[in-house]
PDB file of all heavy atoms in Angstrom:
ATOM      1  N   ASN A   1       0.935 -34.110  90.719  1.00  0.00           N
ATOM      2  CA  ASN A   1       1.593 -32.815  90.889  1.00  0.00           C
ATOM      3  C   ASN A   1       3.115 -32.954  90.792  1.00  0.00           C
ATOM      4  O   ASN A   1       3.675 -34.004  91.123  1.00  0.00           O
ATOM      5  CB  ASN A   1       1.253 -32.215  92.252  1.00  0.00           C
ATOM      6  CG  ASN A   1      -0.226 -31.947  92.414  1.00  0.00           C
ATOM      7  OD1 ASN A   1      -0.886 -31.482  91.487  1.00  0.00           O
ATOM      8  ND2 ASN A   1      -0.756 -32.250  93.584  1.00  0.00           N
ATOM      9  N   LEU A   2       3.765 -31.866  90.384  1.00  0.00           N
ATOM     10  CA  LEU A   2       5.219 -31.767  90.458  1.00  0.00           C
ATOM     11  C   LEU A   2       5.609 -30.315  90.668  1.00  0.00           C
ATOM     12  O   LEU A   2       4.903 -29.398  90.218  1.00  0.00           O
ATOM     13  CB  LEU A   2       5.894 -32.328  89.197  1.00  0.00           C
ATOM     14  CG  LEU A   2       5.718 -31.605  87.852  1.00  0.00           C
ATOM     15  CD1 LEU A   2       6.731 -30.476  87.674  1.00  0.00           C
ATOM     16  CD2 LEU A   2       5.866 -32.592  86.713  1.00  0.00           C
ATOM     17  N   THR A   3       6.713 -30.112  91.368  1.00  0.00           N
ATOM     18  CA  THR A   3       7.290 -28.778  91.571  1.00  0.00           C
ATOM     19  C   THR A   3       8.801 -28.915  91.545  1.00  0.00           C
ATOM     20  O   THR A   3       9.368 -29.719  92.300  1.00  0.00           O
ATOM     21  CB  THR A   3       6.849 -28.175  92.924  1.00  0.00           C
ATOM     22  OG1 THR A   3       5.417 -28.095  92.959  1.00  0.00           O
ATOM     23  CG2 THR A   3       7.435 -26.778  93.092  1.00  0.00           C
ATOM     24  N   GLN A   4       9.458 -28.157  90.662  1.00  0.00           N
ATOM     25  CA  GLN A   4      10.910 -28.198  90.525  1.00  0.00           C
ATOM     26  C   GLN A   4      11.437 -26.785  90.323  1.00  0.00           C
ATOM     27  O   GLN A   4      10.822 -25.986  89.622  1.00  0.00           O
ATOM     28  CB  GLN A   4      11.317 -29.064  89.326  1.00  0.00           C
ATOM     29  CG  GLN A   4      10.953 -30.536  89.461  1.00  0.00           C
ATOM     30  CD  GLN A   4      11.840 -31.261  90.444  1.00  0.00           C
ATOM     31  OE1 GLN A   4      13.064 -31.113  90.400  1.00  0.00           O
ATOM     32  NE2 GLN A   4      11.245 -32.055  91.329  1.00  0.00           N
ATOM     33  N   SER A   5      12.597 -26.498  90.929  1.00  0.00           N
ATOM     34  CA  SER A   5      13.217 -25.179  90.782  1.00  0.00           C
ATOM     35  C   SER A   5      14.547 -25.287  90.040  1.00  0.00           C
ATOM     36  O   SER A   5      15.282 -26.269  90.212  1.00  0.00           O
ATOM     37  CB  SER A   5      13.439 -24.542  92.157  1.00  0.00           C
ATOM     38  OG  SER A   5      12.198 -24.237  92.762  1.00  0.00           O
ATOM     39  N   PHE A   6      14.831 -24.262  89.230  1.00  0.00           N
ATOM     40  CA  PHE A   6      16.049 -24.210  88.421  1.00  0.00           C
ATOM     41  C   PHE A   6      16.709 -22.843  88.609  1.00  0.00           C
ATOM     42  O   PHE A   6      16.023 -21.835  88.836  1.00  0.00           O
ATOM     43  CB  PHE A   6      15.716 -24.403  86.936  1.00  0.00           C
ATOM     44  CG  PHE A   6      15.085 -25.729  86.618  1.00  0.00           C
ATOM     45  CD1 PHE A   6      13.709 -25.918  86.760  1.00  0.00           C
ATOM     46  CD2 PHE A   6      15.856 -26.797  86.185  1.00  0.00           C
ATOM     47  CE1 PHE A   6      13.121 -27.131  86.469  1.00  0.00           C
ATOM     48  CE2 PHE A   6      15.272 -28.021  85.901  1.00  0.00           C
ATOM     49  CZ  PHE A   6      13.911 -28.189  86.042  1.00  0.00           C
ATOM     50  N   PRO A   7      18.043 -22.782  88.486  1.00  0.00           N
ATOM     51  CA  PRO A   7      18.704 -21.476  88.496  1.00  0.00           C
ATOM     52  C   PRO A   7      18.114 -20.580  87.409  1.00  0.00           C
ATOM     53  O   PRO A   7      17.896 -21.023  86.283  1.00  0.00           O
ATOM     54  CB  PRO A   7      20.162 -21.823  88.213  1.00  0.00           C
ATOM     55  CG  PRO A   7      20.311 -23.243  88.660  1.00  0.00           C
ATOM     56  CD  PRO A   7      19.005 -23.896  88.351  1.00  0.00           C
ATOM     57  N   PHE A   8      17.858 -19.340  87.745  1.00  0.00           N
ATOM     58  CA  PHE A   8      17.227 -18.428  86.806  1.00  0.00           C
ATOM     59  C   PHE A   8      18.139 -18.137  85.613  1.00  0.00           C
ATOM     60  O   PHE A   8      19.317 -17.826  85.772  1.00  0.00           O
ATOM     61  CB  PHE A   8      16.879 -17.108  87.497  1.00  0.00           C
ATOM     62  CG  PHE A   8      16.392 -16.053  86.548  1.00  0.00           C
ATOM     63  CD1 PHE A   8      15.160 -16.161  85.935  1.00  0.00           C
ATOM     64  CD2 PHE A   8      17.191 -14.947  86.253  1.00  0.00           C
ATOM     65  CE1 PHE A   8      14.713 -15.188  85.056  1.00  0.00           C
ATOM     66  CE2 PHE A   8      16.752 -13.968  85.373  1.00  0.00           C
ATOM     67  CZ  PHE A   8      15.510 -14.093  84.765  1.00  0.00           C
ATOM     68  N   VAL A   9      17.571 -18.286  84.415  1.00  0.00           N
ATOM     69  CA  VAL A   9      18.238 -17.890  83.173  1.00  0.00           C
ATOM     70  C   VAL A   9      17.259 -16.999  82.413  1.00  0.00           C
ATOM     71  O   VAL A   9      16.156 -17.437  82.061  1.00  0.00           O
ATOM     72  CB  VAL A   9      18.621 -19.116  82.316  1.00  0.00           C
ATOM     73  CG1 VAL A   9      19.228 -18.663  80.983  1.00  0.00           C
ATOM     74  CG2 VAL A   9      19.578 -20.027  83.062  1.00  0.00           C
ATOM     75  N   ASP A  10      17.640 -15.770  82.169  1.00  0.00           N
ATOM     76  CA  ASP A  10      16.744 -14.815  81.532  1.00  0.00           C
ATOM     77  C   ASP A  10      16.328 -15.285  80.144  1.00  0.00           C
ATOM     78  O   ASP A  10      17.161 -15.701  79.325  1.00  0.00           O
ATOM     79  CB  ASP A  10      17.437 -13.447  81.434  1.00  0.00           C
ATOM     80  CG  ASP A  10      16.453 -12.337  81.099  1.00  0.00           C
ATOM     81  OD1 ASP A  10      15.243 -12.519  81.361  1.00  0.00           O
ATOM     82  OD2 ASP A  10      16.894 -11.286  80.602  1.00  0.00           O
ATOM     83  N   ASP A  11      15.033 -15.264  79.890  1.00  0.00           N
ATOM     84  CA  ASP A  11      14.428 -15.625  78.602  1.00  0.00           C
ATOM     85  C   ASP A  11      14.508 -17.123  78.289  1.00  0.00           C
ATOM     86  O   ASP A  11      14.226 -17.525  77.148  1.00  0.00           O
ATOM     87  CB  ASP A  11      15.047 -14.834  77.447  1.00  0.00           C
ATOM     88  CG  ASP A  11      14.570 -13.385  77.421  1.00  0.00           C
ATOM     89  OD1 ASP A  11      13.492 -13.119  78.000  1.00  0.00           O
ATOM     90  OD2 ASP A  11      15.276 -12.536  76.855  1.00  0.00           O
ATOM     91  N   ALA A  12      14.900 -17.942  79.234  1.00  0.00           N
ATOM     92  CA  ALA A  12      14.873 -19.391  79.001  1.00  0.00           C
ATOM     93  C   ALA A  12      13.426 -19.846  78.848  1.00  0.00           C
ATOM     94  O   ALA A  12      12.512 -19.344  79.500  1.00  0.00           O
ATOM     95  CB  ALA A  12      15.539 -20.124  80.160  1.00  0.00           C
ATOM     96  N   ILE A  13      13.230 -20.822  77.967  1.00  0.00           N
ATOM     97  CA  ILE A  13      11.887 -21.333  77.687  1.00  0.00           C
ATOM     98  C   ILE A  13      11.788 -22.758  78.236  1.00  0.00           C
ATOM     99  O   ILE A  13      12.696 -23.570  78.052  1.00  0.00           O
ATOM    100  CB  ILE A  13      11.596 -21.325  76.176  1.00  0.00           C
ATOM    101  CG1 ILE A  13      11.835 -19.926  75.601  1.00  0.00           C
ATOM    102  CG2 ILE A  13      10.175 -21.782  75.900  1.00  0.00           C
ATOM    103  CD1 ILE A  13      11.829 -19.886  74.074  1.00  0.00           C
ATOM    104  N   TYR A  14      10.671 -23.056  78.873  1.00  0.00           N
ATOM    105  CA  TYR A  14      10.461 -24.369  79.485  1.00  0.00           C
ATOM    106  C   TYR A  14       9.296 -25.096  78.817  1.00  0.00           C
ATOM    107  O   TYR A  14       8.348 -24.469  78.330  1.00  0.00           O
ATOM    108  CB  TYR A  14      10.163 -24.226  80.980  1.00  0.00           C
ATOM    109  CG  TYR A  14      11.345 -23.759  81.798  1.00  0.00           C
ATOM    110  CD1 TYR A  14      11.703 -22.406  81.839  1.00  0.00           C
ATOM    111  CD2 TYR A  14      12.106 -24.667  82.537  1.00  0.00           C
ATOM    112  CE1 TYR A  14      12.786 -21.974  82.583  1.00  0.00           C
ATOM    113  CE2 TYR A  14      13.195 -24.240  83.293  1.00  0.00           C
ATOM    114  CZ  TYR A  14      13.525 -22.894  83.310  1.00  0.00           C
ATOM    115  OH  TYR A  14      14.599 -22.477  84.057  1.00  0.00           O
ATOM    116  N   ALA A  15       9.381 -26.430  78.814  1.00  0.00           N
ATOM    117  CA  ALA A  15       8.310 -27.274  78.288  1.00  0.00           C
ATOM    118  C   ALA A  15       8.398 -28.633  78.977  1.00  0.00           C
ATOM    119  O   ALA A  15       9.435 -28.998  79.532  1.00  0.00           O
ATOM    120  CB  ALA A  15       8.416 -27.420  76.775  1.00  0.00           C
ATOM    121  N   LEU A  16       7.303 -29.385  78.932  1.00  0.00           N
ATOM    122  CA  LEU A  16       7.248 -30.692  79.595  1.00  0.00           C
ATOM    123  C   LEU A  16       6.931 -31.792  78.596  1.00  0.00           C
ATOM    124  O   LEU A  16       6.178 -31.598  77.635  1.00  0.00           O
ATOM    125  CB  LEU A  16       6.166 -30.710  80.678  1.00  0.00           C
ATOM    126  CG  LEU A  16       6.221 -29.676  81.799  1.00  0.00           C
ATOM    127  CD1 LEU A  16       5.128 -29.990  82.821  1.00  0.00           C
ATOM    128  CD2 LEU A  16       7.583 -29.645  82.462  1.00  0.00           C
ATOM    129  N   ARG A  17       7.504 -32.966  78.846  1.00  0.00           N
ATOM    130  CA  ARG A  17       7.084 -34.198  78.188  1.00  0.00           C
ATOM    131  C   ARG A  17       6.525 -35.115  79.267  1.00  0.00           C
ATOM    132  O   ARG A  17       7.250 -35.500  80.187  1.00  0.00           O
ATOM    133  CB  ARG A  17       8.257 -34.879  77.479  1.00  0.00           C
ATOM    134  CG  ARG A  17       8.776 -34.146  76.250  1.00  0.00           C
ATOM    135  CD  ARG A  17       9.863 -34.948  75.575  1.00  0.00           C
ATOM    136  NE  ARG A  17      10.348 -34.288  74.373  1.00  0.00           N
ATOM    137  CZ  ARG A  17      11.245 -34.823  73.530  1.00  0.00           C
ATOM    138  NH1 ARG A  17      11.761 -36.022  73.806  1.00  0.00           N
ATOM    139  NH2 ARG A  17      11.621 -34.166  72.461  1.00  0.00           N
ATOM    140  N   VAL A  18       5.265 -35.454  79.158  1.00  0.00           N
ATOM    141  CA  VAL A  18       4.578 -36.269  80.172  1.00  0.00           C
ATOM    142  C   VAL A  18       4.419 -37.678  79.618  1.00  0.00           C
ATOM    143  O   VAL A  18       3.682 -37.910  78.651  1.00  0.00           O
ATOM    144  CB  VAL A  18       3.206 -35.659  80.519  1.00  0.00           C
ATOM    145  CG1 VAL A  18       2.552 -36.453  81.650  1.00  0.00           C
ATOM    146  CG2 VAL A  18       3.357 -34.188  80.907  1.00  0.00           C
ATOM    147  N   PHE A  19       5.110 -38.627  80.218  1.00  0.00           N
ATOM    148  CA  PHE A  19       5.130 -40.004  79.734  1.00  0.00           C
ATOM    149  C   PHE A  19       4.039 -40.850  80.384  1.00  0.00           C
ATOM    150  O   PHE A  19       3.678 -40.631  81.542  1.00  0.00           O
ATOM    151  CB  PHE A  19       6.497 -40.640  80.021  1.00  0.00           C
ATOM    152  CG  PHE A  19       7.611 -40.169  79.130  1.00  0.00           C
ATOM    153  CD1 PHE A  19       8.172 -38.910  79.320  1.00  0.00           C
ATOM    154  CD2 PHE A  19       8.079 -40.974  78.108  1.00  0.00           C
ATOM    155  CE1 PHE A  19       9.202 -38.473  78.500  1.00  0.00           C
ATOM    156  CE2 PHE A  19       9.106 -40.536  77.283  1.00  0.00           C
ATOM    157  CZ  PHE A  19       9.670 -39.280  77.478  1.00  0.00           C
ATOM    158  N   ALA A  20       3.548 -41.841  79.635  1.00  0.00           N
ATOM    159  CA  ALA A  20       2.669 -42.870  80.202  1.00  0.00           C
ATOM    160  C   ALA A  20       3.554 -43.996  80.727  1.00  0.00           C
ATOM    161  O   ALA A  20       3.497 -45.150  80.283  1.00  0.00           O
ATOM    162  CB  ALA A  20       1.696 -43.382  79.149  1.00  0.00           C
ATOM    163  N   THR A  21       4.411 -43.628  81.668  1.00  0.00           N
ATOM    164  CA  THR A  21       5.414 -44.537  82.223  1.00  0.00           C
ATOM    165  C   THR A  21       5.452 -44.349  83.727  1.00  0.00           C
ATOM    166  O   THR A  21       5.506 -43.227  84.222  1.00  0.00           O
ATOM    167  CB  THR A  21       6.811 -44.228  81.639  1.00  0.00           C
ATOM    168  OG1 THR A  21       6.801 -44.484  80.230  1.00  0.00           O
ATOM    169  CG2 THR A  21       7.872 -45.103  82.289  1.00  0.00           C
ATOM    170  N   ASN A  22       5.417 -45.462  84.442  1.00  0.00           N
ATOM    171  CA  ASN A  22       5.607 -45.427  85.891  1.00  0.00           C
ATOM    172  C   ASN A  22       6.369 -46.689  86.294  1.00  0.00           C
ATOM    173  O   ASN A  22       6.865 -47.418  85.420  1.00  0.00           O
ATOM    174  CB  ASN A  22       4.267 -45.291  86.627  1.00  0.00           C
ATOM    175  CG  ASN A  22       3.261 -46.363  86.230  1.00  0.00           C
ATOM    176  OD1 ASN A  22       3.596 -47.550  86.154  1.00  0.00           O
ATOM    177  ND2 ASN A  22       2.020 -45.949  85.983  1.00  0.00           N
ATOM    178  N   SER A  23       6.484 -46.973  87.570  1.00  0.00           N
ATOM    179  CA  SER A  23       7.279 -48.122  88.011  1.00  0.00           C
ATOM    180  C   SER A  23       6.707 -49.445  87.538  1.00  0.00           C
ATOM    181  O   SER A  23       7.426 -50.444  87.444  1.00  0.00           O
ATOM    182  CB  SER A  23       7.381 -48.131  89.543  1.00  0.00           C
ATOM    183  OG  SER A  23       6.086 -48.272  90.123  1.00  0.00           O
ATOM    184  N   ALA A  24       5.416 -49.468  87.201  1.00  0.00           N
ATOM    185  CA  ALA A  24       4.771 -50.718  86.790  1.00  0.00           C
ATOM    186  C   ALA A  24       4.837 -50.961  85.298  1.00  0.00           C
ATOM    187  O   ALA A  24       4.832 -52.117  84.855  1.00  0.00           O
ATOM    188  CB  ALA A  24       3.308 -50.713  87.232  1.00  0.00           C
TER     189      ALA A  24
END
């Protein structure tokens, strides 16, 4: 899970890149 908040910008578009990367 993840939850993050950003200052509101009208009509801004969001997307994610999910990496196969961790501390190991």
Side-chain angles (χ1 to χ4, degrees):
N1 298 319
L2 67 85
T3 301
Q4 295 286 313
S5 293
F6 298 84
F8 172 70
V9 176
D10 194 23
D11 285 338
I13 306 169
Y14 291 80
L16 303 186
R17 290 184 178 185
V18 184
F19 286 75
T21 296
N22 54 46
S23 62

